[in-house]
Amino acid sequence: MASLKEVRNRITSVNSTQQITKAMKMVSAAKLRRAQDAILQMRPYAKKLSEMLATVSAGTETAAESPYKQVRPVEKVLIVIVTSDRGLCGAFNTNVVKAGMALIQEKYAAQAAKGNVEIFALGKKGGEACQRRGFKVNASFMDVYSRLSFGVVKEAAESIMADFEAGKYDAVEVIFNEFKNVATQIIRTDQLLPIPDAKDELKKATTSNVNYIFEPSEEQIVTDLIPKTLKIQLYRAVLESNASEHGARMTAMDKATDNAQELIKALRLEYNRSRQAAITKEILEIVGGAEALSKG
């Protein structure tokens, strides 16, 4: 059985840890509200933009001729992994990295064997994990959350689009956590490039029967919409991941706080038992000593 001093030190240590987890939970709760508002405002815009592009591009050859819709034999692949910069958020980052590795093994095993799979890291944890696994990682925007804005994500999207257009990659996929609620995040894998066929979007679109008046021209609008849609799609993935991160950290810190409380209870019980045993031992020694003196 541990000494009273050791148990007291452990109780003090766990109490300090509990205060930290409580504080982290409160910070994540405050950040979650802002991040949740941002993604809830972005979703309708991103959805409507995709529907509009699908509807408009269905009637023009300009979309089919776009360099971002060109389907080529897949030799070189870019996987965009969206994670967080910090840990202490449960399996949030691990699940995304695992999904990325599973995607590579199931869909791009041949390309990976030739060393033709590259990781584009948005978030330090994903980039570091993929580097440890031996993948070539583009870390240019790994610190995206330290300066999170549409401008920064736009630069990342433009870099990816330029590389695809130049033929550096034949396929680009994005893996991220989609925010559902505080306790639930859903792993999503979306094909960013080449742009998927608009038929599926048209089936879901509520604006498919709308007749548009185009100004300056239908072709020009489609040409402008395609790059903008790609940038918004990537920005939405980052915002989804940002909200999911705070939700996951809030849940993880809440559980950590509860576990700390349970540990404190167990340690206090152990402390009381040790103290009781020490007192009993001292009483027995006193009684034994008194008996010895009386007999002497």
Side-chain angles (χ1 to χ4, degrees):
M1 187 175 291
S3 68
L4 291 175
K5 184 178 179 181
E6 290 174 347
V7 177
R8 278 199 305 268
N9 289 340
R10 288 187 66 191
I11 291 173
T12 301
S13 176
V14 175
N15 263 319
S16 299
T17 302
Q18 187 182 46
Q19 294 304 314
I20 293 171
T21 57
K22 279 183 180 178
M24 291 183 69
K25 176 187 172 183
M26 293 174 65
V27 170
S28 291
K31 290 183 176 179
L32 173 64
R33 182 60 182 270
R34 294 194 296 270
Q36 187 175 352
D37 289 344
I39 189 55
L40 291 179
Q41 291 171 15
M42 170 57 70
R43 281 176 181 170
Y45 176 74
K47 180 181 178 183
K48 187 60 67 175
L49 190 63
S50 297
E51 289 179 359
M52 187 182 299
L53 176 62
T55 304
V56 173
S57 62
T60 178
E61 295 182 359
T62 304
E65 296 171 356
S66 170
Y68 307 119
K69 293 201 73 172
Q70 301 307 310
V71 178
R72 302 187 289 262
V74 180
E75 296 294 334
K76 297 179 180 179
V77 181
L78 181 68
I79 307 294
V80 182
I81 290 186
V82 187
T83 57
S84 68
D85 287 341
R86 300 183 296 124
L88 298 177
C89 46
F92 174 82
N93 294 310
T94 304
N95 289 340
V96 176
V97 174
K98 283 183 178 178
M101 298 303 105
L103 176 67
I104 292 170
Q105 291 175 4
E106 295 169 7
K107 194 173 180 180
Y108 301 115
Q111 291 84 348
K114 298 176 183 177
N116 290 338
V117 173
E118 185 173 337
I119 305 297
F120 193 98
L122 293 175
K124 292 180 181 178
K125 288 297 180 180
E128 292 168 355
C130 291
Q131 283 176 336
R132 288 195 297 270
R133 286 168 169 79
F135 287 94
K136 182 180 177 183
V137 177
N138 185 330
S140 303
F141 295 88
M142 200 157 70
D143 61 341
V144 65
Y145 293 102
S146 64
R147 49 201 175 104
L148 181 57
S149 67
F150 177 70
V152 175
V153 179
K154 176 185 172 185
E155 290 178 19
E158 287 173 346
S159 173
I160 294 169
M161 291 157 62
D163 287 341
F164 179 83
E165 189 174 358
K168 186 176 179 181
Y169 308 113
D170 302 310
V172 180
E173 304 221 26
V174 184
I175 302 175
F176 61 97
N177 276 293
E178 184 179 55
F179 179 78
K180 184 176 181 182
N181 55 49
V182 175
T184 307
Q185 299 84 39
I186 303 169
I187 298 293
R188 280 281 302 272
T189 301
D190 291 345
Q191 180 178 312
L192 187 67
L193 291 166
I195 297 173
D197 196 337
K199 291 180 180 178
D200 293 335
E201 287 294 332
L202 276 174
K203 290 178 182 178
K204 297 183 289 183
T206 58
T207 57
S208 57
N209 295 323
V210 175
N211 292 320
Y212 294 102
I213 298 175
F214 300 99
E215 180 65 36
S217 68
E218 185 175 355
E219 291 75 15
Q220 184 62 46
I221 289 172
V222 171
T223 302
D224 292 341
L225 268 181
I226 289 176
K228 186 171 185 178
T229 302
L230 290 170
K231 295 168 190 175
I232 290 296
Q233 188 176 345
L234 186 60
Y235 186 49
R236 180 197 167 189
V238 173
L239 290 183
E240 293 275 7
S241 182
N242 188 42
S244 297
E245 175 195 349
H246 295 308
R249 183 170 290 109
M250 183 179 169
T251 301
M253 291 301 99
D254 183 51
K255 290 181 179 178
T257 302
D258 291 342
N259 291 339
Q261 187 60 42
E262 291 298 320
L263 184 55
I264 288 170
K265 287 181 181 179
L267 287 171
R268 282 177 177 163
L269 181 61
E270 182 181 348
Y271 176 80
N272 290 333
R273 284 176 176 171
S274 297
R275 185 167 174 269
Q276 185 67 45
I279 292 171
T280 303
K281 183 180 178 181
E282 289 177 4
I283 291 173
L284 290 175
E285 289 175 352
I286 293 169
V287 171
E291 288 181 358
L293 289 172
S294 63
K295 290 179 181 179

